[in-house]
Amino acid sequence: MSSKPDASRPRATDTKKVHIADTQMTRQNWYKHVNWLNVTFIIGIPLAGCIQAFWVPLQLKTAIWAVIYYFFTGLGITAGYHRLWAHCSYSATLPLRIWLALVGGGAVEGSIRWWARDHRAHHRYTDTDKDPYSVRKGLLYSHLGWMVMKQNPKRIGRTDITDLNEDPVVVWQHRNYIKVVLGMGLGVPMLVSGLGWGDWYGGFVYAGILRIFFVQQATFCVNSLAHWLGDQPFDDRNSPRDHIITALVTLGEGYHNFHHEFPSDYRNAIEWHQYDPTKWTIWTCKQLGLAYDLKQFRSNEIEKGRVQQLQKKIDQKRAKLDWGTPLDQLPVMEWDDYVEQTKNGRGLISIAGVVHDVTDFIKDHPGGKAMIKSGLGKDATAMFNGGVYYHSNGAHNLLSTMRVGVIRGGGEVEIWKRAQKENSEYVRDETGQRIIRAGQQVTKMPEPISTADAA
């Protein structure tokens, strides 16, 4: 007798359940794509707070307390969640770690373990499909969409959080996160306002709910605005950018291009005038003996990155400019042919063995028509390099765009040597363009020629 099939076991024809995030959103199933818990915490509760604010007067003391607590909880995220736990850019004593875990929880942005894990994935897989809040999916998605819409956790890139799992403060906060949120997010701001000056409801609405909303939106700007607005002084291969506005909004996290290049540096701003209260807070904690082992990248490495990016931008600009026909692509002309063409009305002039057609430039020559015409059909090297006038760098650059040939003999060998130099790796940028530096043009002679007076 054959045994009956076990109904508890999946049949061979069964397929793995597809995550809702991997299915197309339609009018019929759109609500299944929404993370309603996050919508409640991120949108619903702040909206309720805004409505309540119409009936709850804002007292000055409560407003000041809300701003102070905004900075406390904001620094819990920037100095705690971000720079301490996500990037290990410094070490903190137990009292400081406990304090940062508590006020960070008061920002209501998830536990340290969850937050740091996603942030490490963001750095490791920036702008890819494995980036949990990639700006490539849209500015709104990177700011808010990734939280209010369900994500397939298997799509997020893997990261190592062994150190977080071994930190008792992180483990405790993760296990007791809801209690921390209720106590530090709503309880503490309400108690201070209530016990301090009797404004219980105001503390709940303004220092609690609305303060949480503003802290959250500031943090979300690091994921969105910092990848969209500003400059890229260190690298432009990915989206992170530096901007003072983002820094002001995010307690110093706005120098994001620097941060993505040097993530383990406890600083985001490296210039004295740049706004980074998180950096100043960490430094102050060090002076108080609460923080230590503050990590900094060597200035030599930082400047190398800056110079390389500047050079890249220069190369991109250079590629758009006309530097004249390369020497090795110019035809060789006999001297007699050069003189003959000049006699037939063509405005040719020879400088350092290179023939230039200045026909259309004669009328615009700053030194006058007579001066430039006196060099036509001749070797005007001496005239151009101090015999008549010691021409500027701009004049040499302009002249290079008029090249039409190279004279056989009379410096021809030196011309080919320079052509070979132009083809070497040392004088080409990453786009393959020849690098012609000021004073190194082929028509520029190192010293005035001794026969200059005779020209």
Side-chain angles (χ1 to χ4, degrees):
M1 294 178 64
S2 60
S3 60
K4 294 182 179 180
D6 187 352
S8 64
R9 294 182 180 180
R11 297 179 181 179
T13 56
D14 289 345
T15 58
K16 293 182 179 179
K17 185 177 180 181
V18 179
H19 193 278
I20 185 64
D22 296 330
T23 64
Q24 185 176 3
M25 185 186 299
T26 64
R27 291 183 179 180
Q28 289 73 32
N29 73 356
W30 66 269
Y31 63 92
K32 295 181 180 179
H33 285 262
V34 178
N35 188 326
W36 291 106
L37 180 62
N38 283 351
V39 168
T40 301
F41 280 109
I42 298 173
I43 299 176
I45 293 177
L47 182 60
C50 290
I51 295 174
Q52 292 178 66
F54 283 100
W55 291 276
V56 180
L58 176 60
Q59 297 184 25
L60 178 60
K61 292 179 180 179
T62 303
I64 294 174
W65 164 234
V67 172
I68 293 173
Y69 202 55
Y70 169 89
F71 275 89
F72 281 166
T73 52
L75 289 169
I77 297 296
T78 59
Y81 279 40
H82 188 208
R83 302 193 197 184
L84 175 60
W85 281 297
H87 293 296
C88 306
S89 64
Y90 69 100
S91 298
T93 60
L94 182 60
L96 180 58
R97 283 160 50 214
I98 293 174
W99 168 250
L100 290 172
L102 289 173
V103 293
V108 194
E109 295 183 17
S111 69
I112 297 167
R113 185 179 182 276
W114 175 85
W115 197 103
R117 183 252 180 246
D118 270 11
H119 192 72
R120 289 181 182 181
H122 166 66
H123 271 262
R124 185 175 182 182
Y125 304 101
T126 304
D127 297 340
T128 69
D129 289 338
K130 293 183 178 182
D131 181 349
Y133 30 86
S134 172
V135 77
R136 302 296 186 198
K137 297 179 182 179
L139 187 66
L140 183 60
Y141 178 87
S142 63
H143 186 81
L144 200 64
W146 69 280
M147 284 176 293
V148 299
M149 304 303 293
K150 291 180 180 178
Q151 288 195 79
N152 186 346
K154 294 182 179 179
R155 300 290 185 186
I156 300 174
R158 293 185 176 183
T159 57
D160 182 8
I161 57 171
T162 304
D163 58 317
L164 301 178
N165 292 332
E166 295 174 350
D167 188 328
V169 175
V170 174
V171 173
W172 173 84
Q173 195 233 36
H174 186 73
R175 290 176 176 173
N176 299 276
Y177 180 66
I178 298 300
K179 296 178 181 178
V180 173
V181 166
L182 294 175
M184 298 300 296
L186 298 172
V188 168
M190 183 172 62
L191 283 172
V192 171
S193 297
L195 296 176
W197 49 92
D199 190 14
W200 293 89
Y201 206 19
F204 177 77
V205 173
Y206 295 105
I209 294 177
L210 295 183
R211 186 266 318 159
I212 290 173
F213 172 73
F214 286 114
V215 170
Q216 288 177 343
Q217 295 304 311
T219 304
F220 299 163
C221 283
V222 180
N223 302 333
S224 57
L225 201 62
H227 286 260
W228 177 73
L229 176 67
D231 301 321
Q232 297 176 300
F234 297 98
D235 194 0
D236 62 0
R237 292 176 300 170
N238 293 319
S239 60
R241 298 170 182 273
D242 288 0
H243 203 284
I244 180 60
I245 291 179
T246 317
L248 291 172
V249 171
T250 61
L251 301 183
E253 302 283 5
Y255 302 101
H256 213 50
N257 191 252
F258 171 85
H259 173 63
H260 268 256
E261 281 296 292
F262 311 101
S264 62
D265 197 309
Y266 87 97
R267 308 163 299 171
N268 261 207
I270 56 175
E271 304 296 341
W272 67 268
H273 55 83
Q274 292 176 324
Y275 180 75
D276 188 358
T278 303
K279 173 187 69 176
W280 303 331
T281 299
I282 296 171
W283 181 88
T284 301
C285 287
K286 178 186 177 182
Q287 309 311 308
L288 297 174
L290 296 172
Y292 58 97
D293 191 23
L294 276 57
K295 297 176 183 177
Q296 294 185 38
F297 269 81
R298 290 190 302 159
S299 58
N300 181 72
E301 305 312 306
I302 294 173
E303 289 308 309
K304 281 197 298 189
R306 198 196 304 270
V307 169
Q308 287 172 331
Q309 181 63 12
L310 286 172
Q311 187 63 59
K312 186 176 182 179
K313 291 180 179 179
I314 290 173
D315 289 347
Q316 291 171 349
K317 286 187 176 181
R318 180 186 290 109
K320 300 177 182 179
L321 301 176
D322 177 13
W323 296 91
T325 304
L327 293 173
D328 55 359
Q329 296 179 21
L330 293 173
V332 177
M333 300 177 64
E334 300 292 340
W335 179 263
D336 292 342
D337 183 38
Y338 158 67
V339 174
E340 184 65 24
Q341 289 190 42
T342 304
K343 290 181 179 179
N344 291 334
R346 192 177 182 190
L348 300 181
I349 190 167
S350 174
I351 300 175
V354 181
V355 179
H356 306 82
D357 189 339
V358 297
T359 304
D360 297 332
F361 182 68
I362 293 175
K363 65 180 183 301
D364 298 320
H365 184 238
K369 297 180 181 179
M371 189 68 68
I372 193 170
K373 283 184 176 180
S374 66
L376 299 181
K378 301 177 183 179
D379 183 352
T381 305
M383 295 175 59
F384 198 75
N385 284 276
V388 175
Y389 181 71
Y390 203 76
H391 283 73
S392 67
N393 184 65
H396 285 276
N397 284 335
L398 177 61
L399 190 64
S400 69
T401 65
M402 304 177 189
R403 297 172 179 171
V404 294
V406 175
I407 296 294
R408 187 184 300 282
E412 178 187 352
V413 174
E414 292 301 317
I415 294 300
W416 297 137
K417 285 183 179 179
R418 293 200 183 194
Q420 291 176 353
K421 183 179 179 182
E422 287 187 354
N423 286 328
S424 70
E425 295 179 357
Y426 297 102
V427 290
R428 282 189 181 272
D429 61 28
E430 62 179 18
T431 66
Q433 295 292 320
R434 294 171 296 124
I435 297 178
I436 308 299
R437 304 196 187 284
Q440 294 183 355
Q441 298 93 334
V442 67
T443 51
K444 182 77 169 62
M445 306 305 292
E447 297 290 340
I449 297 177
S450 58
T451 58
D453 292 339

